Amino acid sequence: MNWKFWNRKKKDNPNKKKKSATREWVDAIVFAVIAATLIRTFFIEAYVIPTPSMERSLLVGDFLFVSKVNYGARTPMTPIAFPFAHHTMPVTGTKAYWDGWELGYHRLPGFSSVKRGDVVVFNYPADTINNRPVDKRENYIKRCQGISGDTVSVVNGQVFVNGKAANDPPGEQMEYTYKTTGEDVNPQILDELHVQTYEGHQYPAMTQEAANTLKGYSNVKELAPVISQKGSSEDVFPRGGTSVIDVKLTKNLPDYHWSVDNYGPIIIPKKGWTVKLDSMTFPIYERAIKVYENNKLEVKGTDIYINGVKTDNYTFKMNYYWMMGDNRHDSEDSRYWGFVPEDHIVGKALFVWMSWDDNASFFHKIRWSRLFMGIH
């Protein structure tokens, strides 16, 4: 780069020894690494979709750009790290960062806050097994279904926010069961409708549009979504294993009778909101109070102590969000591990710049129709 100040410097020092080719390359590489790191940290970063939890809105093999400026860039919380590695070195498998120096949570001003319906990248909040710093936890991508202060519920697979049915994502999938008259459905038709049975699942998943089309075939006599009923025994938040903090409470957890398709209502914490802590609310907000907001939490008999003080309420310090995958029956999301704190938010997904289908033939691996597709 022939910057003016660089040329001026050279003119001011005509007798200065010219840099060697090696030195020029080293300077260029150092500059490129610093520039790329600043861009990835504060402006925009590339990600790839590894799992089908967002299908059919986002597909496995979609490469996308995520904006850091929309919600305001989060300043590095673990500043000493190897460039371009998230938490693990690719060859050695060792840590790609040094956690001996960690900074607090700060975020630069952004264009907007997280909104309902946004597709958001965030650090997995229940990643406590590896005990990584917040900004070095696994990156997840989901759709925000509820913002701080909202009351969210799911009734027979339909999400409700503050008592009103939420807009269904354009690529939302559910699992369906169907019966034929005896004549099987042509596999080519299922392929064209993108009907897929995912690994470990019994029933095929499809969009509502695909279900309506399939139902119109003469040899399909019954078709209905697979809905887990309220009261069915499912490992959902806060009874899920990743959400229980105090083992003393495990045996006394109330049965909320919630399932992935019939869930809640649940209130999403908002900064400044004070919650009354009792046998029903404490298990829901326990993790946020203790882990995300770094309080010393103790239970002595029926009494709750926060930072050594007996209390029956708590006022939240951060905003939280409720994230769900568009592929509703193949998504590990807030229904399983609860709220996403604001300090875990990475950025907003903007558009797909490349899409690669590993299962397609060589000449059809690139999904040309998805290139530079906006994410909605």
Side-chain angles (χ1 to χ4, degrees), residues 20 209 247 287 291 302:
S20 66
E209 182 182 5
V247 294
R287 182 178 181 82
V291 178
T302 59

Side-chain angles (χ1 to χ4, degrees), residues 245-297:
I245 304 301
D246 196 321
V247 294
K248 297 177 184 177
L249 297 172
T250 305
K251 61 182 180 181
N252 296 321
L253 275 175
D255 191 347
Y256 298 90
H257 302 291
W258 293 347
S259 70
V260 292
D261 295 317
N262 282 279
Y263 190 96
I266 189 169
I267 301 175
I268 305 169
K270 182 177 183 179
K271 184 177 180 180
W273 176 57
T274 300
V275 61
K276 176 77 172 177
L277 298 175
D278 53 34
S279 60
M280 294 296 289
T281 60
F282 182 76
I284 294 174
Y285 301 108
E286 175 192 9
R287 182 178 181 82
I289 296 170
K290 183 174 183 179
V291 178
Y292 305 147
E293 304 209 349
N294 299 310
N295 292 289
K296 182 181 178 182
L297 186 60

Side-chain angles (χ1 to χ4, degrees), residues 159-366:
V159 176
F160 286 81
V161 180
N162 301 325
K164 297 181 179 179
N167 294 327
D168 294 329
E172 180 187 48
Q173 286 193 153
M174 294 280 287
E175 288 183 336
Y176 286 79
T177 178
Y178 65 89
K179 294 181 180 180
T180 66
T181 57
E183 180 185 355
D184 290 339
V185 179
N186 189 330
Q188 185 176 349
I189 293 174
L190 298 179
D191 187 55
E192 290 174 354
L193 294 175
H194 304 295
V195 176
Q196 184 174 354
T197 302
Y198 293 95
E199 184 179 354
H201 291 256
Q202 180 181 357
Y203 302 103
M206 64 191 86
T207 63
Q208 180 66 58
E209 182 182 5
N212 292 338
T213 302
L214 186 61
K215 194 174 183 179
Y217 283 90
S218 58
N219 58 328
V220 177
K221 64 177 183 179
E222 291 182 22
L223 187 145
V226 178
I227 300 294
S228 57
Q229 298 302 313
K230 200 158 189 169
S232 59
S233 179
E234 292 191 30
D235 193 26
V236 295
F237 179 81
R239 296 182 66 87
T242 58
S243 63
V244 176
I245 304 301
D246 196 321
V247 294
K248 297 177 184 177
L249 297 172
T250 305
K251 61 182 180 181
N252 296 321
L253 275 175
D255 191 347
Y256 298 90
H257 302 291
W258 293 347
S259 70
V260 292
D261 295 317
N262 282 279
Y263 190 96
I266 189 169
I267 301 175
I268 305 169
K270 182 177 183 179
K271 184 177 180 180
W273 176 57
T274 300
V275 61
K276 176 77 172 177
L277 298 175
D278 53 34
S279 60
M280 294 296 289
T281 60
F282 182 76
I284 294 174
Y285 301 108
E286 175 192 9
R287 182 178 181 82
I289 296 170
K290 183 174 183 179
V291 178
Y292 305 147
E293 304 209 349
N294 299 310
N295 292 289
K296 182 181 178 182
L297 186 60
E298 298 176 284
V299 178
K300 300 177 182 179
T302 59
D303 297 328
I304 299 171
Y305 290 80
I306 299 178
N307 299 323
V309 179
K310 181 180 176 181
T311 185
D312 62 354
N313 62 76
Y314 180 76
T315 301
F316 288 95
K317 305 171 187 174
M318 286 194 295
N319 290 318
Y320 291 79
Y321 304 93
W322 191 261
M323 305 290 184
M324 293 175 64
D326 290 356
N327 193 359
R328 291 296 162 80
H329 288 154
D330 196 32
S331 173
E332 182 185 323
D333 51 38
S334 287
R335 293 169 295 176
Y336 293 95
W337 36 254
F339 313 109
V340 176
E342 65 178 64
D343 65 350
H344 284 56
I345 299 295
V346 174
K348 180 180 181 179
L350 295 182
F351 64 91
V352 175
W353 64 271
M354 169 62 78
S355 187
W356 185 266
D357 188 355
D358 274 335
N359 298 319
S361 61
F362 178 77
F363 293 104
H364 297 88
K365 284 193 176 294
I366 296 178

